[in-house]
Amino acid sequence: MGKQKATIRTFKEMKQKGKKITMVTAYDYAMMSWVDKSDIDLILVGDSAAMTMLGYKSTVPIDLDTMLVFNQAVSRAGEHTFLVGDMPFMSYEVSTEKAVENAGRIMKEGFMDAVKLEGGERMAETVAAIVRAGIPVMGHIGLTPQSASQLGGFTVQGKDFTSAKQIFKDALALEEAGAFAILMEAIPAPLAKLITEKVQVPTIGIGAGPYCDGQVLVIHDLLGLFDRFVPKFVKQYAKLGEEIQKALNTFAAEVRGGAFPAADHCFNMQEEVVQQLTAALQEEGLL
Ligand code: KIV
């Protein structure tokens, strides 16, 4: 039997039963069709697409219309996987009304099952408004890449008493606002443990240690497809970039050496048709 699509209730039950939740990012149809056949519980069409798919240096430049293209591609292959669409920078900060409207576009035009946005206490009212509109929201606290400039770069957050306490309060505020899950990025494992034990909603960690209710990785990092940098918290489960390079070099060598295409890759024609065609072309002076 194939996998059954999870719901937000499934994730809560998984937390209660101590069953770990697994999540990766996905951005396109081909990759999503493999993810959909895997044991992964949910995916995020992350704004990390700005870096992994479009080559920007941060997640800031990507806009909602571009994200919707990735959402739609993923949704066409994501039949058995819960789909979360990231809200890009400036699609939810300007006003609560705009945030609800844009979250609605991600659901209606992007065919996602939920949205994710960055920020804790400061975004709680926005999260509550989107939830009131009937849209499930995943929060994102700790290192929030859209505000990396303000945070002093892509660095671990919550190492000192004051910032750790703020992150703890951020988690409480998101739970209170109705978030169905909280993604925690680059925070110390003991802080993630305190939060996970306190809140009733599942926590999903990336660089947040083993005590979270689930784990997420950017799929390009997990598969070894992104070589600009590899964060400390990433484990590469494959080196597909190297495999791709090997396959491309073999193709180039076989084309140059005449081994490709072989007979198996060619369409044939009856010999008498070839002769007839040659004779006709010669008669017309075309050969
Ligand atoms: O956009 C993204 O890929 C993320 C990661 C933290 C999973 O938000």
Side-chain angles (χ1 to χ4, degrees):
M1 203 178 77
K3 87 176 167 190
Q4 207 174 344
K5 183 165 172 163
T7 66
I8 60 173
R9 193 179 311 152
T10 320
F11 302 129
K12 200 156 192 187
E13 283 166 8
M14 287 172 84
K15 176 177 178 111
Q16 284 159 357
K17 291 181 183 153
K19 194 167 172 235
K20 294 282 184 185
I21 299 165
T22 56
M23 172 167 159
V24 293
T25 61
Y27 316 102
D28 67 302
Y29 177 84
M31 190 71 88
M32 185 60 212
S33 61
W34 290 108
V35 175
D36 205 49
K37 291 192 251 293
S38 76
D39 297 332
I40 295 295
D41 298 305
L42 73 160
I43 66 91
L44 169 70
V45 183
D47 62 353
S48 50
M51 300 166 83
T52 56
M53 301 298 285
L54 303 178
Y56 288 114
K57 296 237 171 337
S58 80
T59 58
V60 167
I62 201 161
D63 62 18
L64 183 59
D65 287 333
T66 310
M67 287 299 297
L68 286 171
V69 174
F70 291 121
N71 290 165
Q72 289 158 1
V74 164
S75 76
R76 290 182 198 116
E79 277 180 51
H80 306 105
T81 313
F82 189 86
L83 310 175
V84 182
D86 225 352
M87 297 196 71
F89 186 52
M90 283 300 138
S91 67
Y92 56 95
E93 294 90 337
V94 175
S95 71
T96 308
E97 291 70 26
K98 199 73 199 157
V100 174
E101 190 183 317
N102 285 336
R105 288 191 69 194
I106 291 172
M107 304 293 283
K108 282 165 68 94
E109 297 171 46
F111 307 105
M112 297 287 104
D113 299 307
V115 302
K116 173 173 89 56
L117 59 85
E118 297 182 5
E121 244 180 348
R122 72 187 165 91
M123 280 299 152
E125 185 36 48
T126 303
V127 170
I130 298 172
V131 172
R132 273 198 301 275
I135 300 171
V137 180
M138 176 181 284
H140 182 159
I141 56 175
L143 172 58
T144 45
Q146 292 171 9
S147 34
S149 291
Q150 200 176 42
L151 297 174
F154 292 90
T155 52
V156 61
Q157 302 294 309
K159 284 186 82 154
D160 61 86
F161 169 79
T162 310
S163 63
K165 192 169 170 205
Q166 182 57 52
I167 292 170
F168 189 90
K169 285 169 71 187
D170 285 338
L172 297 187
L174 287 175
E175 180 176 44
E176 174 75 24
F180 77 93
I182 302 171
L183 190 151
M184 305 192 293
E185 179 165 359
I187 62 170
L191 174 59
K193 182 169 188 279
L194 284 172
I195 294 171
T196 300
E197 287 171 358
K198 174 69 183 173
V199 296
Q200 306 292 308
V201 294
T203 59
I204 303 198
I206 177 164
Y211 308 111
C212 306
D213 298 308
Q215 297 291 328
V216 57
L217 282 176
V218 168
I219 199 158
H220 285 59
D221 290 338
L222 186 158
L223 297 177
L225 281 168
F226 189 71
D227 62 359
R228 201 193 288 157
F229 62 88
V230 180
K232 171 183 159 66
F233 52 74
V234 164
K235 179 170 177 185
Q236 286 186 334
Y237 286 84
K239 293 206 178 289
L240 291 196
E242 288 172 18
E243 287 298 311
I244 288 170
Q245 203 167 24
K246 230 189 303 173
L248 294 175
N249 287 344
T250 306
F251 167 68
E254 289 197 359
V255 170
R256 289 182 189 122
F260 181 83
D264 278 357
H265 311 113
C266 298
F267 301 103
N268 227 328
M269 214 175 170
Q270 282 182 342
E271 185 51 34
E272 71 182 66
V273 180
V274 178
Q275 280 175 15
Q276 191 187 1
L277 178 66
T278 310
L281 293 174
Q282 278 168 345
E283 207 175 292
E284 290 178 40
L286 295 170
L287 267 188

